Amino acid sequence: MIVRATAIPLSIFHYSSTSSIVHWMTRQHGKVSTLLKGAYRPKSPFLGEYGLFDTSELLFFTKRMDALYTAKECALLHSRKIFRSNWRAMQAASYLTALLNKTTPENAPHPELFDLFEELLDLAEKHGQHPQFLLWAELYFCTHHGHSPSLGSCVLCHAKNELCFCASQGGTICQPCAKSRKLPTLPCPPDILSILQSWQKADQPAHAINTRLSGSQLTALNTISSAFMNYHFNLNPKYRNAVLATA
């Protein structure tokens, strides 16, 4: 049986001199892996029809060999060409792709996650060169993924004063709770907390990108967001560091 899916490559590997293996995020079937036989041959029907960060229509056979399906054909639906010329935006898209790949199980349909992935790639095309975009995108992803950090009060006692950030507790905690429980924390002064709260509520990145930040504020925001993402999603920090290194 052949099935059709709207798909975005998560990673592409050479399988042989003529064939490739592609791991896809699909709207209809979740994350699937396919073998594209003859993908690199000069007259292959796959040539130019798929690529990292692009959306394609994929047809594949439902019978699997080991963990792979066999692709029948694919057709390019939307090419995000900006990532081939804008290095900073491409790094942001790479990080978001790694994040979706890490947090999505195989063969489990999640249409809402596919839509989120496609939306974030579209936004990265326009705003990915800005370091604030990455920080906003992480908050946006966490909100839609059900892992949004709690930023209103102490997650342990609900106090609203003397707050700091604790990645292991999923948000802000007060200093007395941190001290009594010997929890590792990061400074989260009122200005940083206010920025995080406003960005968390924003459903578009423009607000974050237009926020004027000092170097120390950007560093503090990045430190907090990095600690949270690494703790809860266990993503190799090299992907994230590559994005911010371009700023």
Side-chain angles (χ1 to χ4, degrees):
M1 180 178 175
I2 299 173
V3 297
R4 185 187 307 269
T6 307
I8 301 173
L10 294 167
S11 55
I12 301 172
F13 301 96
H14 283 265
Y15 177 73
S16 68
S17 60
T18 59
S19 302
S20 67
I21 291 174
V22 182
H23 302 302
W24 307 84
M25 180 73 168
T26 74
R27 177 178 283 118
Q28 295 87 348
H29 305 280
K31 190 164 69 173
V32 300
S33 300
T34 64
L35 174 64
L36 276 62
K37 294 181 178 180
Y40 301 124
R41 289 175 179 159
K43 295 184 179 181
S44 170
F46 294 114
L47 283 178
E49 301 298 337
Y50 71 101
L52 289 175
F53 319 127
D54 296 337
T55 302
S56 296
E57 183 178 67
L58 171 69
L59 273 67
F60 62 94
F61 295 96
T62 55
K63 184 178 179 180
R64 288 204 298 177
M65 298 183 65
D66 296 324
L68 292 174
Y69 298 101
T70 299
K72 182 179 186 296
E73 60 184 75
C74 66
L76 187 65
L77 297 178
H78 177 52
S79 176
R80 298 178 174 88
K81 295 181 180 180
I82 190 67
F83 298 132
R84 293 161 179 76
S85 59
N86 189 318
W87 175 256
R88 296 183 179 183
M90 184 275 290
Q91 290 285 9
S94 296
Y95 172 74
L96 293 170
T97 299
L99 181 59
L100 265 293
N101 194 12
K102 178 75 174 182
T103 57
T104 305
E106 290 275 354
N107 300 297
H110 288 284
E112 67 286 352
L113 281 181
F114 178 89
D115 292 340
L116 174 63
F117 184 29
E118 196 165 41
E119 179 185 8
L120 287 173
L121 287 178
D122 288 341
L123 290 170
E125 275 193 286
K126 299 178 182 178
H127 309 291
Q129 70 271 23
H130 301 285
Q132 292 100 311
F133 170 77
L134 174 70
L135 304 177
W136 172 85
E138 289 177 328
L139 288 169
Y140 191 69
F141 170 84
C142 288
T143 297
H144 287 265
H145 201 270
H147 286 82
S148 184
S150 178
L151 300 171
S153 60
C154 176
V155 299
L156 300 175
C157 72
H158 306 297
K160 295 183 180 294
N161 298 317
E162 298 183 272
L163 295 178
C164 47
F165 190 85
C166 182
S168 66
Q169 300 302 306
T172 50
I173 63 173
C174 66
Q175 293 182 18
C177 283
K179 185 176 181 180
S180 65
R181 303 192 184 203
K182 298 181 180 180
L183 295 170
T185 62
L186 294 168
C188 190
D191 61 322
I192 298 301
L193 180 58
S194 177
I195 292 169
L196 287 171
Q197 289 172 333
S198 66
W199 288 6
Q200 190 176 57
K201 295 175 183 176
D203 59 4
Q204 290 291 317
H207 174 63
I209 291 169
N210 292 327
T211 302
R212 298 185 65 178
L213 300 173
S214 66
S216 60
Q217 285 177 321
L218 182 59
T219 298
L221 290 165
N222 176 44
T223 300
I224 288 172
S225 188
S226 177
F228 183 86
M229 298 300 291
N230 289 339
Y231 184 89
H232 289 277
F233 299 107
N234 194 30
L235 188 67
N236 190 325
K238 73 177 183 180
Y239 298 112
R240 198 173 183 285
N241 294 341
V243 181
L244 296 172
T246 64

